[in-house]
Amino acid sequence: MQDIKIDEYDYDLPEDRIAQHPLPERDASKLLLYDGKAVSTDIFRNIGNNLPAAGHLVFNNTRVISARLLFRKESGALVEILCLEPLYPHSYELSLSSQVPVEWKCMIGNLKKWKGGVLAMQFSAGGKSDFLTAERICSEGEAWRVRFSWGDPYLSFSEVIEASGRVPLPPYIKREDESKDRFRYQTVYSEIKGSVAAPTAGLHFTDKLLDSLHKRGISHSNITLHIGAGTFQPVRTPFISGHTMHC
């Protein structure tokens, strides 16, 4: 494993083979099958036909947050901040429920235009207008520590970014987020807020499909694994052994 070369995994992926919008029906996507001998395809809604009787599925019930924040400077320059993980308070639950300033590890787009000072963005929540401010504190490896503050003491940080943020679509989706992405870029069983990207394999399950699997005797359980900075961290080393995985 240590001697695997990263460039052995390079392959051509034409732009026209990357879907920019999901299919109208989640479970109508293709399903790749391998039986130990041959590769074939099916439709995802038929996955129950290919699972063992009395099988057990484990679902990641993390929920994507609106972690992409766009701040417009007075000069007109746009600075994009992507919240990756909480630093203070350290836990997702405490940070997202906090009604006082929080600090997050963030990726910053167009950083050269943010030489210092505080960025501000107006937003509306509960019929009231408010301001979200961002202050860059220090570097955190390849990312930055950013402190977020807002005016309304009754709003939690979760409510603030829900009102002011955008869905952080994957970089291979070359379009702006749309209102329907807030629903489609979530699994139907998502519950616990904290991810900056969806566990994409689960996006193809529907309530109807889950019910049919249950009737087949296939059980399930949930875990919560928030997807954070690691999913955006490129591999820059020639061998896999030189790459440090994010925890």
Side-chain angles (χ1 to χ4, degrees), residues 2-3 9 12 20 31 37 42 71 80 96 116 119 140 142 149 167 173 177 187 193 213 223 231 234:
Q2 300 298 310
D3 296 330
Y9 287 83
D12 180 47
Q20 296 301 300
L31 177 66
K37 297 178 182 178
D42 199 344
F71 290 85
E80 179 175 333
L96 290 171
L119 300 178
E140 289 282 341
E142 296 183 352
S149 307
V167 178
I173 301 297
D177 62 295
T187 61
K193 295 179 180 179
L213 294 175
I223 57 172
T231 194

Side-chain angles (χ1 to χ4, degrees), residues 65 83-106 137 140 145-150 155-158 193-194 226:
I65 59 176
C83 298
L84 296 177
E85 61 186 67
L87 296 174
Y88 180 80
H90 187 67
S91 80
Y92 285 90
E93 183 180 8
L94 290 177
S95 185
L96 290 171
S97 63
S98 177
Q99 295 174 317
V100 295
V102 298
E103 295 178 9
W104 278 63
K105 183 177 182 179
C106 301
I137 306 300
E140 289 282 341
R145 177 184 286 257
V146 177
R147 179 182 296 126
F148 296 102
S149 307
W150 57 98
L155 284 179
S156 67
F157 185 56
S158 176
K193 295 179 180 179
H226 293 316

Side-chain angles (χ1 to χ4, degrees), residues 9-243:
Y9 287 83
D10 289 342
Y11 59 92
D12 180 47
L13 183 56
E15 290 288 331
D16 62 0
R17 304 300 293 173
I18 305 174
Q20 296 301 300
H21 289 87
L23 291 174
E25 299 177 15
R26 288 177 183 261
D27 58 2
S29 57
K30 282 187 176 181
L31 177 66
L32 183 68
L33 300 171
Y34 178 63
D35 62 4
K37 297 178 182 178
V39 174
S40 60
T41 61
D42 199 344
I43 302 300
F44 194 86
R45 65 170 60 100
N46 298 329
I47 191 172
N49 299 334
N50 302 282
L51 294 175
H56 186 82
L57 297 175
V58 181
F59 293 115
N60 184 2
N61 66 359
T62 184
R63 188 167 180 81
V64 180
I65 59 176
S66 299
R68 183 171 170 243
L69 302 167
L70 302 179
F71 290 85
R72 181 76 64 180
K73 297 188 64 179
E74 292 183 1
S75 64
L78 191 66
V79 177
E80 179 175 333
I81 300 178
L82 180 63
C83 298
L84 296 177
E85 61 186 67
L87 296 174
Y88 180 80
H90 187 67
S91 80
Y92 285 90
E93 183 180 8
L94 290 177
S95 185
L96 290 171
S97 63
S98 177
Q99 295 174 317
V100 295
V102 298
E103 295 178 9
W104 278 63
K105 183 177 182 179
C106 301
M107 292 176 64
I108 301 175
N110 208 12
L111 178 63
K112 61 185 178 184
K113 294 294 184 179
W114 189 14
K115 301 188 185 302
V118 177
L119 300 178
M121 176 205 310
Q122 188 172 15
F123 69 95
S124 179
K128 297 181 180 179
S129 180
D130 203 342
F131 280 91
L132 172 64
T133 62
E135 180 183 2
R136 194 170 82 240
I137 306 300
C138 62
S139 62
E140 289 282 341
E142 296 183 352
W144 293 86
R145 177 184 286 257
V146 177
R147 179 182 296 126
F148 296 102
S149 307
W150 57 98
D152 192 334
Y154 296 103
L155 284 179
S156 67
F157 185 56
S158 176
E159 292 171 314
V160 169
I161 61 174
E162 189 66 26
S164 61
R166 300 189 177 204
V167 178
L169 295 176
Y172 50 82
I173 301 297
K174 307 297 185 183
R175 63 172 174 82
E176 286 299 314
D177 62 295
E178 302 170 1
S179 58
K180 62 184 179 182
D181 291 320
R182 286 181 178 261
F183 167 69
R184 287 305 303 269
Y185 199 55
Q186 301 280 7
T187 61
V188 297
Y189 47 79
S190 63
E191 288 186 67
I192 314 298
K193 295 179 180 179
S195 276
V196 297
T200 50
L203 291 174
H204 308 294
F205 286 94
T206 64
D207 290 324
K208 184 178 179 180
L209 176 55
L210 292 174
D211 184 58
S212 70
L213 294 175
H214 175 72
K215 291 177 179 177
R216 284 175 175 264
I218 296 172
S219 58
H220 78 274
S221 56
N222 293 326
I223 57 172
T224 304
L225 296 172
H226 293 316
I227 301 171
T231 194
F232 299 103
Q233 184 176 333
V235 180
R236 297 191 175 94
T237 58
F239 291 91
I240 195 172
S241 56
H243 178 67

